[in-house]
Amino acid sequence: MLFLNGKLSNIINKYELDYLIITGDLSNNIFQHKKIVEEIKKIKVNCKILIALGNSERSESRFLHRKRIDNRQDLVREDTNREKIRVLINESEIYNKDNLKILFYGFDNSIYGNEKHDFGLEASEFDYRILFAHSPNIIKFIEKNHIKYDLLLAGHTHINQINIPIVNKLKNKYWYYHIGLKVTSKKVFCISRGLGTSRLPLRINYFPGITIFNFN
Amino acid sequence: MGVIVLLILFIYVFVNTNLIKVEKITVTNNTKKIPIKNRTNFRYSWKSAIS
């Protein structure tokens, strides 16, 4: 994955990260998959790389054609199953060090309706609750079930990918979601702009981006 | 003239697609208390979110 400012792993390795969270859509098809998994393995983190499944892990896409497949999620899990890399499919990971207890929970809404929550975690005390999922639609599930969180991360929308005023709103089914952060009382909801493209291999008016959160 | 415009457009789209921007956000205890109204259906830039 080569960008104008270097390889993805080199860009990320400049920062000393504890956790890296990838909110799905690793690749559009099986041909890109191996390269991207290799790139992810080169990324250095102090703790873990956590991955949520995206709709691209359930489908094969070539240009405008998209076909549903059922085994890519297993492939992602097998290929990335390393000590420092974990795919969270409705599962949690707990960081507990230096008097800091952080909950990470990865929802699987790569197919709508697949998302489940471990409600046993609601009773536990955490300094921060970081939830993540692929599609920002997870907010409906979270609000419906009154799930506690401090930071919610999602992706999927590519921030419209092609941002042409007016056309943008007519064409995009996710136009009502915000870009970047939405801060409500005591909660932060972040929708990442993502790195890749879907169908058309181009972006207009919005750069790909990585967000680094520093918890003080 | 047309070629130059096309070339500029191509470069613009190419840079837009291939240049990664890295945003850094510091989350402190104060962040949790920022009284910003529920902003569903409202788009705003990364810069304005947290100082």
Side-chain angles (χ1 to χ4, degrees):
Chain A
M1 289 193 79
L2 187 63
F3 290 86
L4 281 175
N5 35 358
K7 281 190 166 185
L8 179 62
S9 54
N10 293 344
I11 296 167
I12 296 175
N13 287 342
K14 284 179 196 166
Y15 306 92
E16 197 182 319
L17 301 182
D18 291 321
Y19 277 91
L20 173 70
I21 296 176
I22 303 172
T23 54
D25 276 5
L26 300 181
S27 60
N28 282 326
N29 53 55
I30 195 74
F31 299 108
Q32 296 174 351
H33 175 81
K34 293 248 176 237
K35 282 184 190 172
I36 288 166
V37 167
E38 286 308 312
E39 193 67 21
I40 290 171
K41 286 177 192 167
K42 289 178 194 167
I43 296 171
K44 293 168 191 159
V45 290
N46 293 335
C47 297
K48 278 187 182 174
I49 296 174
L50 304 176
I51 302 173
L53 291 182
N55 56 303
S56 291
E57 274 70 65
R58 306 266 187 195
S59 64
E60 188 80 7
S61 168
R62 273 171 218 165
F63 197 52
L64 296 174
H65 177 68
R66 192 180 283 270
K67 188 175 76 176
R68 173 94 174 263
I69 54 165
D70 290 323
N71 62 348
R72 277 277 291 290
Q73 71 274 22
D74 298 330
L75 195 62
V76 173
R77 207 161 209 179
E78 283 167 23
D79 288 351
T80 58
N81 189 18
R82 299 287 184 281
E83 195 185 330
K84 286 205 166 187
I85 306 177
R86 247 193 106 188
V87 180
L88 296 184
I89 303 176
N90 296 320
E91 289 164 311
S92 62
E93 162 88 21
I94 294 169
Y95 173 89
N96 196 352
K97 211 174 167 185
D98 304 332
N99 295 328
L100 188 64
K101 200 174 174 190
I102 302 177
L103 168 72
F104 295 90
Y105 192 92
F107 291 99
D108 173 22
N109 67 348
S110 54
I111 297 172
Y112 291 136
N114 261 14
E115 59 271 13
K116 291 184 186 79
H117 186 56
D118 180 358
F119 288 96
L121 295 167
E122 293 298 292
S124 309
E125 283 292 320
F126 295 98
D127 293 306
Y128 283 103
R129 290 166 183 267
I130 300 173
L131 312 184
F132 60 97
H134 178 62
S135 169
N137 276 347
I138 196 67
I139 191 69
K140 293 174 187 169
F141 178 80
I142 287 172
E143 286 183 348
K144 187 181 163 194
N145 292 290
H146 306 289
I147 298 169
K148 295 179 206 163
Y149 71 92
D150 296 302
L151 176 63
L152 174 62
L153 305 170
H156 187 52
T157 65
H158 298 204
I159 312 298
N160 308 335
Q161 198 169 313
I162 296 171
N163 283 284
I164 300 169
I166 304 172
V167 178
N168 190 9
K169 283 203 172 181
L170 294 174
K171 193 74 185 149
N172 185 7
K173 56 183 175 179
Y174 294 103
W175 64 269
Y176 47 85
Y177 281 113
H178 55 281
I179 296 169
L181 294 182
K182 185 175 95 173
V183 186
T184 54
S185 57
K186 297 188 178 182
K187 291 171 185 174
V188 181
F189 180 16
C190 176
I191 301 177
S192 164
R193 31 169 104 188
L195 295 171
T197 55
S198 174
R199 296 173 194 246
L200 290 175
L202 51 91
R203 283 175 177 249
I204 297 175
N205 266 345
Y206 244 109
F207 292 95
I210 297 167
T211 314
I212 297 174
F213 287 94
N214 181 17
F215 287 85
N216 281 339
Chain B
M1 183 67 185
V3 175
I4 294 169
V5 172
L6 277 177
L7 190 66
I8 291 168
L9 272 175
F10 175 78
I11 292 169
Y12 178 73
V13 171
F14 185 78
V15 170
N16 259 241
T17 310
N18 290 294
L19 186 71
I20 294 182
K21 288 208 166 183
V22 179
E23 265 103 10
K24 289 185 198 168
I25 293 161
T26 302
V27 180
T28 63
N29 287 335
N30 288 334
T31 306
K32 291 185 178 182
K33 291 172 189 165
I34 293 175
I36 297 176
K37 288 176 188 170
N38 190 333
R39 290 186 173 192
T40 310
N41 301 338
F42 180 74
R43 292 165 172 277
Y44 65 111
S45 81
W46 293 79
K47 288 171 191 167
S48 66
I50 296 175
S51 56

